[in-house]
Amino acid sequence: MIRNARVEDAKAIAELVLVILKDMEVAFLEEFGEEKTVEVIMKAVESPTYRYGYARGIVKEIDGEVAGIAFGYLAEEEERIDLPLSDALKSLGLPEARIFVDLETYPNEWYLDTIVVNEKFRGYGVGTELLEAVNRAAKEAGADKVGLCVDFANPKAQQLYKRQGFEIVGKQILSGHDYYHMQRPV
């Protein structure tokens, strides 16, 4: 079942987001470690306006488990989506920090910030279902295209996105890694 994310999904969301943060080798993870990073993200999920806030998330649930997640936002929201992280850090007695420092979006797109499938459910079409749900979310938000970034070093993901109608429209560097920026019409 595809559904909107809920606050109760915070632990599963945080653990899946951790997969991405590890791949990106973000400095935040090095500074705080995996356990504390998961705790911070779990707290921040409670804020609907946060990058990984429950109101921005789509969940694929299988047999009561979170099988995969997708999070996104309109490009014009990018400047403020990480502001709630400060409150989460403060509430946990941690110093001010940022997970992301680079801007990722292209103008006038609904940006698919994160899509992750739980390893246990890979190969069952979960990612494809989430990508279809992303189109609906983008359309509801008033966007006419969906954008995302995919690591140069991840050709399997690039092929998945191409099969789903995404085309490379540019290149960018995020957290010191080279990424293709891809888009598809809604």
Side-chain angles (χ1 to χ4, degrees):
M1 156 179 59
I2 295 283
R3 63 171 173 77
N4 292 328
R6 301 186 285 243
V7 173
E8 302 82 55
D9 299 321
K11 184 167 177 44
I13 290 168
E15 289 172 349
L16 288 172
V17 167
L18 182 65
V19 172
I20 298 295
L21 300 182
K22 287 166 63 173
D23 284 348
M24 291 184 76
E25 299 174 330
V26 296
F28 186 97
L29 188 56
E30 189 175 306
E31 182 179 345
F32 292 100
E34 290 182 21
E35 188 177 310
K36 194 56 76 175
T37 298
V38 166
E39 185 180 355
V40 169
I41 293 170
M42 284 176 62
K43 182 69 177 164
V45 164
E46 296 172 10
S47 172
T49 60
Y50 178 54
R51 176 187 302 259
Y52 302 121
Y54 68 91
R56 296 190 186 279
I58 301 167
V59 167
K60 168 64 177 178
E61 184 180 312
I62 299 175
D63 297 330
E65 273 188 81
V66 173
I69 59 170
F71 282 82
Y73 50 88
L74 291 169
E76 58 265 22
E77 297 175 300
E78 187 170 24
E79 293 287 339
R80 60 186 180 276
I81 58 168
D82 289 325
L83 296 176
L85 183 65
S86 296
D87 293 335
L89 289 164
K90 188 183 291 184
S91 75
L92 296 169
L94 297 172
E96 185 68 31
R98 293 184 64 185
I99 295 177
F100 300 100
V101 295
D102 304 304
L103 295 178
E104 301 175 60
T105 64
Y106 277 24
N108 306 312
E109 69 182 8
W110 189 92
Y111 183 71
L112 176 57
D113 180 88
T114 299
I115 184 167
V116 187
V117 176
N118 181 322
E119 196 171 323
K120 176 179 172 180
F121 297 102
R122 291 185 186 154
Y124 294 98
V126 172
T128 300
E129 281 187 68
L130 286 167
L131 284 171
E132 290 168 4
V134 158
N135 250 25
R136 290 189 295 276
K139 194 174 208 170
E140 287 172 14
D144 60 1
K145 61 187 164 219
V146 174
L148 58 83
C149 289
V150 60
D151 198 316
F152 279 19
N154 193 346
K156 284 179 110 175
Q158 292 169 33
Q159 288 308 310
L160 169 67
Y161 297 136
K162 285 181 181 178
R163 283 193 308 271
Q164 292 295 316
F166 285 88
E167 295 180 8
I168 295 172
V169 295
K171 297 177 183 177
Q172 44 196 134
I173 298 173
L174 304 172
S175 298
H177 293 261
D178 293 319
Y179 286 81
Y180 290 113
H181 195 97
M182 302 179 82
Q183 289 181 334
R184 77 170 175 198
V186 172

